[in-house]
Amino acid sequence: MKPGYLALVLHAHLPFVREIEDDDSLQQHWLFEAITETYIPLLLVFDNLIRDRIDFRLTFSITPTLASMLGNPLLQSRYLVRLERLIELTDKEVTRTRTDPQFAPLARMYQALFGSIHEAFVHRYKKDLLGAFHRLQTLGYLEIIASAATHGYLPLLAVNEAAVRAQIKVGVEQYRQSFGRMPAGFWLPECGYFSGVDALLDEVGIRFTILETHGITRAHERPRYGVHAPVHCPSGVAAFGRDPDSSRQVWSAGDGYPGDYDYREFYRDIGYDLDHDYIKPYILPSGVRIDTGIKYHRITGKGDPKDPYVPEWAERKAEIHAEHFLDEQIKQIECSGRLMDRKPLTVAPYDAELFGHWWFEGPRWLDHLIRKTAARQDVIRLVTPSDYLSEHPVNQTCTPCDSSWGYKGYNEVWLNGKNDWIYPHLHAAGLMIEDLAARYPAPKGSALRTLNQAARELLLAQASDWAFMISSGQMEDYASRRIKSHLAHFHRLKEQVESGVVDQEWLESIEKQDNIFREIETFAAFRISSSEV
Amino acid sequence: MDEYNLPESYGKTRLVVLAVDPYLIHAYWEIAPPELDEAKRHSGNTKAVLRFYKRTNQGEYADWFDIDIDLQSRNWYVHLWSVEESYRVDLGLKRSDGTLFRLVPSQLVLMPRSLPAPEIDQRPARVDPTERRAETVPVPSPQQDPQQETIAPLANLFDASPIPPTPIDSAKIILEQLKTAFASRQWRWDPFEVETAGSANTHTERPATDLTAMDLTAMDETKLTTGLFSGALQSSHTKKQSDEE
């Protein structure tokens, strides 16, 4: 049998949360629970693999917004406070459940788990999770790829080429500052590809990106190997296609692995289940209940009655599912390898937050999968897209099909009757900043500061998260307010720079509030490069 | 967070057309009031339409159709009955004789494909790490790419020997059940059972018209499911919460 390759890609992203808002705001809570449940558990999986001398290669994207928050000292210290409060809650839970034979061991499990997360955050990683990921890249285990500045959904920003270019340029520059090198790969937010975006990636030195399955299968000309080998876009940037089987095995809401009845039930959190007076210090100050991360039940079945979680059963399932996944990969390699003149490749991209946050046992599954793959190196090996391109620099040239990984595969999630009001405003602001870039070729002093902040505000308004939240009805008001406030700031900053009267005090407060990309010339990124003028 | 209001309009006449999917287009527009008044004065009794021009492969606009719209709505969704490569759209006032007083043209909108392209036409390109621009090279013959070569080590960093596989006992039973559960997603094996690895080279020379039995692109298409990202999970979480309220 001809051997083959597996490229696992984890995409880590959260929208930019303003530190100036309430200490305990729900939005900061997203970041904190992702750190506790996903980022640190994954780092610990990787560290343990290295300790056990397991050979692995994984691709990881950390978006500029997430990287900026992980590196923010204020958010780091707030996270620590939050984590310590959570540990205090687990202490109370151990006492509360001490006579219950089913729940007492689970309370102790969370006490130990969060204790180890605390130990890792404070002592092992010294609060610097970005540095921990950077180290894994330096050691050669991870290939970290760049992404767009604020996760802008590029196909719907493409009306303004300058806007797309700025999302890419700022994202790449932020990567360079975070990781001390230029990225080879670029994660297109939501896998959103449009014909021509590859040329803009090529401009900044990107060598590959990753598309949804039909971005490749519906490419023109028709790809010879489906998604089992990359294609080169007309610009020369390689496009790797998502493998549909491995997506479904892990993702499918109905019968994907995470839905197994032995796994932990996400929706039974003590933040919602326990007496309000008891849980009040650990939910939002307003009294609004939120997930605490302490969940005592397993999925059990389709109905509402849920049985207590049994960690040993879940661990067993994680191993079985890893074995199954690997087994299917090997079958696929065997099959597609017969139809190819080269070793077949499977590209399996996932949201990183699936692992640990949504799917509690996800990091365990990944750990088992990597160990089992290491034991089958005669037939399958983990690679990154860069590794693959080094071995196979010659690939078919095609124009991929415009596509995304959203529902129905195109733009509908980010453009529909609920959120279409966004685009006239984003596009108008895009035109305005192009115009400003032409009129202010070399701004200095407070004009430069004002224009850079205006550019930051526009970038923040462009985040795909807002359109998604409005579309899904989740945090709809918050998302609308974020778009409107960033655009309102943009317009006011523009007026001030044009009138020559900059309100310094207000500018400072806005810089402090939306304090992302402080070290980047964001305004210059919107300028059409001199070669094209 | 304070409340902010966005401008009602930007005072510039503009039509923007966006593809939602291969069969649906969203158009939004703004017509500066003086231009609209001027147009109405000149064109008499009219109705507002979006005129869609289909672009041919030669880049010409041969065929067109009109969609009646309400100018005040400022945006419209247009369902398409056929898949075209691209459109250009005019927003205008249609006179009774069918001629159009054009208010504003759109940008060219390229539509996504809804199916794989029919033909296989290879244009391999070599892209080296140091030279990103694609350079077309001859099609590699299968003989030049040895089938049985071993996988090159990924990096010298990894000199650890592989760990032995973890033994699985009763788990095997569950695994078998899982295989049944996922049977519908497995490869269609039948066409390949008779093939041997040694004869694989012949497939690389197969005629371009053979698109079903051994076509990886066609097989991947049949397994396509969209919307598999965390958005789906987040939506279900929201639903759960709203159910409870």
Side-chain angles (χ1 to χ4, degrees):
Chain A
M1 176 184 159
K2 194 198 308 186
Y5 291 125
L6 170 62
L8 293 168
V9 182
L10 299 185
H11 169 57
H13 165 65
L14 283 175
F16 179 73
V17 172
R18 294 154 149 177
E19 63 182 45
I20 209 157
E21 283 169 36
D22 230 357
D23 279 10
D24 262 314
S25 76
L26 181 57
Q27 292 73 43
Q28 283 186 17
H29 183 67
W30 296 339
L31 172 68
F32 298 158
E33 65 182 358
I35 292 174
T36 304
E37 297 169 0
T38 295
Y39 308 140
I40 292 178
L42 285 177
L43 283 167
L44 291 174
V45 164
F46 301 146
D47 280 355
N48 289 340
L49 289 164
I50 295 168
R51 180 201 61 200
D52 296 342
R53 298 176 66 77
I54 303 293
D55 178 355
F56 73 97
R57 290 279 279 167
L58 221 69
T59 307
F60 216 99
S61 71
I62 299 174
T63 60
T65 48
L66 176 59
S68 135
M69 293 189 292
L70 290 178
N72 180 323
L74 182 62
L75 290 176
Q76 289 167 356
S77 55
R78 279 189 191 159
Y79 168 68
L80 192 56
V81 171
R82 181 84 205 170
L83 181 61
E84 284 169 354
R85 217 183 308 161
L86 182 60
I87 290 169
E88 178 190 297
L89 176 59
T90 61
D91 295 342
K92 281 192 185 175
E93 279 296 282
V94 167
T95 310
R96 185 183 69 85
T97 60
R98 66 188 179 281
T99 56
D100 187 319
Q102 284 181 311
F103 291 110
L106 294 173
R108 286 197 301 273
M109 176 189 86
Y110 283 111
Q111 191 184 40
L113 176 67
F114 296 142
S116 68
I117 297 291
H118 184 273
E119 205 282 330
F121 184 69
V122 175
H123 300 294
R124 184 185 291 223
Y125 304 127
K126 312 256 185 293
K127 302 186 194 175
D128 180 14
L129 300 184
L130 207 54
F133 282 108
H134 185 178
R135 178 179 151 267
L136 288 167
Q137 168 152 278
T138 309
L139 291 173
Y141 293 100
L142 294 191
E143 173 169 6
I144 301 175
I145 62 177
S147 189
T150 59
H151 218 252
Y153 183 66
L154 304 184
L156 293 173
L157 299 177
V159 170
N160 305 111
E161 190 176 289
V164 177
R165 184 178 276 118
Q167 280 280 342
I168 293 171
K169 270 190 182 172
V170 172
V172 167
E173 177 57 21
Q174 210 273 358
Y175 179 100
R176 195 187 62 77
Q177 293 182 4
S178 296
F179 302 110
R181 47 170 276 190
M182 292 301 278
F186 191 94
W187 178 266
L188 288 169
E190 322 291 6
C191 291
Y193 172 86
F194 68 92
S195 178
V197 73
D198 53 293
L200 303 180
L201 295 175
D202 184 55
E203 271 181 17
V204 290
I206 296 296
R207 290 186 55 228
F208 70 85
T209 187
I210 295 153
L211 308 188
E212 176 59 290
T213 310
H214 59 290
I216 300 297
T217 56
R218 296 176 193 173
H220 190 80
E221 290 80 16
R222 187 185 180 102
R224 188 186 184 99
Y225 302 129
V227 295
H228 307 280
V231 300
H232 284 302
C233 300
S235 61
V237 170
F240 290 79
R242 186 189 196 190
D243 174 56
D245 281 328
S246 29
S247 305
R248 246 179 318 202
Q249 281 153 14
V250 174
W251 267 126
S252 171
D255 51 9
Y257 303 140
D260 189 285
Y261 292 167
D262 284 343
Y263 285 146
R264 195 186 71 169
E265 169 64 55
F266 181 84
Y267 298 106
R268 283 294 300 275
D269 192 287
I270 66 167
Y272 294 95
D273 282 357
L274 293 186
D275 181 67
H276 196 266
D277 285 341
Y278 174 83
I279 207 71
K280 197 165 183 291
Y282 310 100
I283 54 179
L284 294 187
S286 60
V288 171
R289 291 177 181 268
I290 50 168
D291 286 272
T292 61
I294 302 175
K295 303 163 200 276
Y296 290 136
H297 296 84
R298 61 191 156 95
I299 293 172
T300 315
K302 285 195 190 340
D304 254 353
K306 301 293 180 193
D307 294 337
Y309 183 64
V310 183
E312 298 75 22
W313 296 1
E315 170 67 17
R316 190 97 171 128
K317 279 291 169 66
E319 182 172 1
I320 290 167
H321 286 148
E323 180 80 16
H324 177 264
F325 185 88
L326 182 64
D327 214 46
E328 293 297 302
Q329 291 301 321
I330 292 170
K331 275 188 203 165
Q332 181 159 311
I333 286 167
E334 196 172 357
C335 175
S336 46
R338 292 181 196 183
L339 302 173
M340 296 176 67
D341 62 359
R342 60 179 64 191
K343 291 183 278 292
L345 167 72
T346 296
V347 178
Y350 306 105
D351 275 318
E353 293 77 17
L354 172 69
F355 296 86
H357 175 61
W358 297 105
W359 179 17
F360 182 56
E361 297 80 4
R364 296 297 308 140
W365 175 85
L366 190 64
D367 182 272
H368 284 300
L369 176 63
I370 293 171
R371 287 172 197 271
K372 286 173 190 295
T373 308
R376 297 299 309 276
Q377 298 216 14
D378 53 327
V379 287
I380 184 166
R381 285 197 180 188
L382 292 172
V383 291
T384 71
S386 285
D387 298 331
Y388 186 90
L389 289 174
S390 301
E391 188 176 308
H392 292 288
V394 178
N395 295 288
Q396 189 181 347
T397 300
C398 313
T399 305
C401 176
D402 290 13
S403 50
S404 80
W405 74 356
Y407 176 62
K408 291 189 186 172
Y410 298 99
N411 298 336
E412 186 181 312
V413 171
W414 300 277
L415 175 60
N416 57 60
K418 288 186 80 176
N419 57 20
D420 54 18
W421 60 267
I422 297 171
Y423 297 97
H425 300 294
L426 288 184
H427 296 163
L431 280 180
M432 287 174 193
I433 201 163
E434 272 183 60
D435 175 56
L436 286 170
R439 285 193 287 132
Y440 296 85
K444 289 192 174 59
S446 72
L448 177 62
R449 241 177 91 185
T450 312
L451 288 165
N452 274 334
Q453 190 60 29
R456 281 180 207 119
E457 299 295 334
L458 179 53
L459 290 168
L460 287 167
Q462 289 168 339
S464 73
D465 309 89
W466 315 140
F468 174 79
M469 288 180 198
I470 294 168
S471 186
S472 71
Q474 176 213 29
M475 306 287 298
E476 193 177 342
D477 291 343
Y478 173 77
S480 297
R481 281 204 310 276
R482 282 294 296 268
I483 294 177
K484 288 177 183 174
S485 70
H486 290 306
L487 284 173
H489 291 165
F490 169 82
H491 289 298
R492 189 165 163 194
L493 291 161
K494 172 178 174 287
E495 281 162 22
Q496 293 195 358
V497 83
E498 283 173 336
S499 67
V501 185
V502 174
D503 180 345
Q504 293 290 343
E505 201 179 324
W506 179 73
L507 173 62
E508 261 169 47
S509 74
I510 295 302
E511 283 176 335
K512 191 158 178 264
Q513 178 178 296
D514 297 331
N515 61 347
I516 192 171
F517 309 136
R518 291 300 293 272
E519 310 298 321
I520 299 177
E521 291 294 328
T522 43
F523 177 64
F526 282 89
R527 193 167 293 135
I528 295 168
S529 62
S530 53
S531 61
E532 289 166 284
V533 172
Chain B
M1 236 189 299
D2 301 331
E3 284 302 323
Y4 294 94
N5 291 314
L6 294 173
E8 289 276 318
S9 61
Y10 292 93
K12 283 189 178 159
T13 296
R14 192 174 190 209
L15 170 64
V16 172
V17 180
L18 301 165
V20 179
D21 65 40
Y23 292 96
L24 185 61
I25 278 183
H26 175 69
Y28 75 80
W29 58 85
E30 180 179 343
I31 309 292
E35 292 181 37
L36 184 58
D37 295 344
E38 178 79 3
K40 280 181 174 164
R41 248 199 323 278
H42 277 87
S43 47
N45 189 22
T46 56
K47 61 180 176 182
V49 296
L50 289 172
R51 180 162 289 183
F52 283 72
Y53 301 90
K54 297 179 192 173
R55 196 172 71 155
T56 65
N57 290 337
Q58 289 74 41
E60 294 161 356
Y61 296 94
D63 200 8
W64 54 266
F65 61 88
D66 287 342
I67 300 288
D68 291 352
I69 55 160
D70 172 6
L71 207 54
Q72 301 307 316
S73 74
R74 297 178 62 171
N75 76 85
W76 212 259
Y77 285 89
V78 179
H79 290 273
L80 306 167
W81 53 90
S82 70
V83 181
E84 301 291 335
E85 256 190 26
S86 54
Y87 290 97
R88 204 174 52 74
V89 184
D90 280 345
L91 172 61
L93 300 175
K94 191 179 181 179
R95 302 184 187 92
S96 48
D97 65 357
T99 55
L100 191 74
F101 185 95
R102 186 169 87 175
L103 288 164
V104 57
S106 76
Q107 89 286 17
L108 179 72
V109 58
L110 301 173
M111 299 301 291
R113 274 183 294 281
S114 64
L115 289 169
E119 78 282 15
I120 289 183
D121 181 5
Q122 280 194 300
R123 280 188 299 147
R126 170 183 290 278
V127 177
D128 291 332
T130 50
E131 175 50 70
R132 295 187 326 277
R133 301 279 166 190
E135 166 202 352
T136 304
V137 298
V139 180
S141 76
Q143 288 73 24
Q144 288 170 347
D145 196 2
Q147 298 278 311
Q148 301 303 330
E149 71 183 78
T150 53
I151 302 181
L154 292 174
N156 296 333
L157 287 161
F158 312 124
D159 53 358
S161 52
I163 54 154
T166 316
I168 298 215
D169 34 71
S170 64
K172 285 282 179 200
I173 299 164
I174 304 168
L175 190 54
E176 284 309 312
Q177 288 170 347
L178 267 172
K179 282 173 188 165
T180 322
F182 285 98
S184 61
R185 308 191 186 123
Q186 287 172 17
W187 290 88
R188 290 173 293 162
W189 285 98
D190 298 350
F192 315 117
E193 289 296 341
V194 295
E195 303 294 337
T196 63
S199 65
N201 285 352
T202 58
H203 297 311
T204 60
E205 299 303 322
R206 70 187 181 278
T209 50
D210 180 12
L211 297 180
T212 50
M214 286 175 286
D215 181 329
L216 288 165
T217 290
M219 289 198 292
D220 290 338
E221 266 286 320
T222 62
K223 293 181 289 188
L224 180 64
T225 311
T226 64
L228 294 174
F229 73 119
S230 70
L233 291 164
Q234 285 170 15
S235 302
S236 62
H237 192 199
T238 312
K239 184 179 176 301
K240 174 92 179 175
Q241 284 180 337
S242 59
D243 287 351
E244 285 167 357
E245 288 160 8

